[in-house]
Amino acid sequence: MPPRAYVNALTGLLRECYARPHHRCSSVVRPYTSITSRERDAQKVEEVAILGGGITGLASAFYISEAFEDVHVTLYEAGPRLGGWLRSTSVDVGNGKVVFEQGPRTLRPNVPNGLVTLDLLDRLGLQNDVLMTSKESTAARNRFIYYPDHLVRMPGPGSSLLGVLSSMISEPVFQGLLYGALTEVFRPRPENLDDESVGAFISRKFGPAVADNLVSAVLHGIYAGDIYQLSAKSILGKVYKTEEQYASVMLGNILEATRDDSLVPLLDLHMMRYLKPFMVGSNGKPLPGTEILAKVRQSSVYTFKRGLGQLAESLESALRKLPNVTILMDTPVELLELVAHGNSSKVQIKPKKAKQSGAKPSTHRYSHVVSTISGKTLNSITAPVDSLSPLALTPSVTVMVVNLYYSNPELLHVHGFGYLLPRSLPFDQNPERALGVVFDSDATIGQDEIPGTKLTVMLGGHWWNGWDTYPDEDEGAYMARAILARHLNITEEPQAVRVALQKECIPQYTVGHAARMRDVSSRLQDHFHGRLKVAGNSYSGVGLNDCVRAAKELSMRLVADSKATGLEDLVAGGETWTRREKGTREWGYR
């Protein structure tokens, strides 16, 4: 087999680890279509409550209020601010201001989830606030893993075949990768295996060194999780599907590359076709006013001038202008139950408190409720007790984010997006249990008023599981500076430091996640007759694009079938894929 084919397949494997979870499947509901008025009248949408004011809750309120203009939507937020984990802060450092991201920092214009977000920002009027990182930029080309005591560039754009092969042979981080790739075909999946951990899957197919050195680092950057707990079925969707179909990941990728069509999830195709009329004209070119979105599609990643928090701010501003939307701040919900209402039933919400003047009574009934809060929290407030108990089995990890700004713009001796740390890194190289470092001044150019070097260090994740207490801000800053001194030889005093502890911020899709979500979908029907729906990062993707798409899909399903739970994609128990001709232009641009 030609070396280039193997290198491309290996690169594709690493790239798939960055992709969104793929445990969607064909729905029992016809995707994005209308049903008869008789079917809809059986459970008419009269008044909707949304639990949670994070990005999923805000997007859900936006889409539902738009789809049902005569229906009132009430959003319950337990805290004093909206936006959830989107936390962008402008910090005055003396000679100007810089933007610190204490949550997500960039978005990928991937298909189709990224297109849903692009459509949303277009409708919010954010086109002129987009900052793009080109696919040809240093940040796009240079992504590193630190192992065992130095930075190693990962294969990617701009890599030559000779350079990749040389690196794979000489760098310890790639130990076992070539041998594992050549012999993987002889290690088929055991019979009757429905799911396994990412670590077990990669170890079985390519060897434990590949799992511990490479894949663990990549998933530290996305889930901050333990690869020996995370579900291969839920996270490595296309890779796992390829092995199922061809019995070999490498052989499957090579055979797929020779076909005239490609394997895509059916619902992804439906979503692309749904969005097309809003963004592409009949002539195949971007509609007037959406040209900037076509440019964003060609970028590696993008953000906004004031940070990703600007998206949440714009959604909040749009919602507060709508007459059919009420936002209740500082209003946590303590009880949610189905109660009789005439000849039908409704979902009753009892808040713990309602500080706002003119707020709804302490108890209110809704025809439908959309929960975007964590699954664990939702289970704790629903009656009967533990009616949604599988949700309690989805753990979350805590991450400490340390932002640092240095006035010296020439501080880094290497440039790129940043680097990640694998689980196999020797302890003396990572006693702080860091997950990775982002070179923000390379990755998000144009946000700051003054030049300098801006870095973010991420600490904790699964390494801190079971901890009762966490480092305070001073300790976090000290740990971050120790990492930078050891790995990058940066010993200068930062001009500004911000530390944020994000408790239980990233849900972990552990082994059996898809099966548990199917169980939850059945329980939502049994105990709430489909009147309680769920969306958000506890279910079908932890990224911002995933959450926006989940909100969009839920609103579309609410129009098509008011009994939908939000988890229909998991009901059939497996992924439904289809073939799409390569080069097919669902869009006027690729």
Side-chain angles (χ1 to χ4, degrees), residues 51-359:
L51 307 185
I55 187 61
T56 313
L58 291 171
S60 295
F62 181 82
Y63 289 130
I64 292 173
S65 62
E66 180 184 62
F68 300 91
E69 295 181 355
D70 58 342
V71 170
H72 197 86
V73 177
T74 302
L75 189 151
Y76 290 81
E77 167 53 44
R81 60 174 291 275
L82 298 172
W85 301 115
L86 293 184
R87 300 185 182 185
S88 306
T89 305
S90 180
V91 178
D92 191 335
V93 294
N95 299 323
K97 294 182 178 180
V98 298
V99 175
F100 281 160
E101 293 282 20
Q102 297 178 324
R105 63 202 58 249
T106 56
L107 292 170
R108 288 177 175 270
N110 58 331
V111 177
N113 291 14
L115 297 180
V116 182
T117 305
L118 288 176
D119 176 61
L120 177 61
L121 70 88
D122 176 51
R123 294 160 71 180
L124 292 172
L126 288 172
Q127 302 95 322
N128 294 328
D129 289 303
V130 172
L131 295 175
M132 293 172 277
T133 300
S134 167
K135 290 181 179 179
E136 303 303 318
S137 68
T138 301
R141 288 174 174 269
N142 294 342
R143 294 171 183 262
F144 302 94
I145 287 178
Y146 188 91
Y147 184 87
D149 57 5
H150 60 278
L151 296 178
V152 182
R153 183 176 180 268
M154 293 295 101
S159 300
S160 68
L161 174 60
L162 182 60
V164 170
L165 289 175
S166 175
S167 182
M168 287 185 176
I169 293 171
S170 62
E171 288 290 354
V173 72
F174 295 112
Q175 177 189 347
L177 181 57
L178 287 176
Y179 175 79
L182 291 169
T183 59
E184 174 266 342
V185 67
F186 303 110
R187 294 185 286 276
R189 182 182 305 182
E191 292 184 11
N192 303 318
L193 180 62
D194 180 64
D195 196 6
E196 61 188 311
S197 74
V198 171
F201 171 69
I202 297 297
S203 295
R204 173 169 61 81
K205 299 301 291 183
F206 300 96
V210 177
D212 293 343
N213 296 345
L214 295 172
V215 178
S216 72
V218 172
L219 295 193
H220 276 169
I222 302 173
Y223 295 90
D226 180 357
I227 60 169
Y228 291 98
Q229 299 295 321
L230 294 170
S231 162
K233 183 177 183 178
S234 292
I235 292 174
L236 301 180
K238 192 170 184 179
V239 172
Y240 212 61
K241 179 69 177 179
T242 299
E243 191 214 19
E244 177 185 318
Q245 183 168 348
Y246 293 98
S248 166
V249 175
M250 298 301 296
L251 179 61
N253 282 340
I254 293 169
L255 292 176
E256 284 289 320
T258 65
R259 293 180 62 108
D260 295 328
D261 55 14
S262 58
L263 195 64
V264 297
L266 182 61
L267 286 182
D268 283 3
L269 193 59
H270 284 312
M271 180 60 79
M272 288 188 286
R273 289 174 175 169
Y274 171 82
L275 289 172
K276 181 180 178 180
F278 299 101
M279 302 177 75
V280 180
S282 57
N283 60 358
K285 296 182 178 180
L287 292 174
T290 67
E291 293 86 352
I292 183 86
L293 305 184
K295 294 180 180 178
V296 174
R297 281 275 289 111
Q298 303 306 315
S299 68
S300 170
V301 295
Y302 69 96
T303 183
F304 304 104
K305 292 178 180 178
R306 300 200 307 271
L308 286 189
Q310 192 172 345
L311 178 59
E313 293 170 3
S314 298
L315 277 169
E316 178 183 358
S317 177
L319 290 172
R320 291 192 182 278
K321 295 175 182 177
L322 297 176
N324 64 328
V325 175
T326 298
I327 299 176
L328 301 178
M329 306 295 293
D330 293 303
T331 310
V333 172
E334 69 175 358
L335 183 64
L336 188 152
E337 60 182 337
L338 189 72
V339 296
H341 184 84
N343 295 326
S344 184
S345 58
K346 287 192 174 183
V347 179
Q348 181 168 281
I349 287 180
K350 180 181 178 182
K352 289 183 180 178
K353 54 184 176 179
K355 292 183 178 179
Q356 286 184 236
S357 59

Side-chain angles (χ1 to χ4, degrees), residues 223-226 230 393-397 462 506-510 513 516:
Y223 295 90
D226 180 357
L230 294 170
L393 300 177
T394 300
S396 295
V397 296
H462 73 96
I506 306 179
Q508 303 292 286
Y509 300 163
T510 55
H513 176 78
R516 290 192 295 275

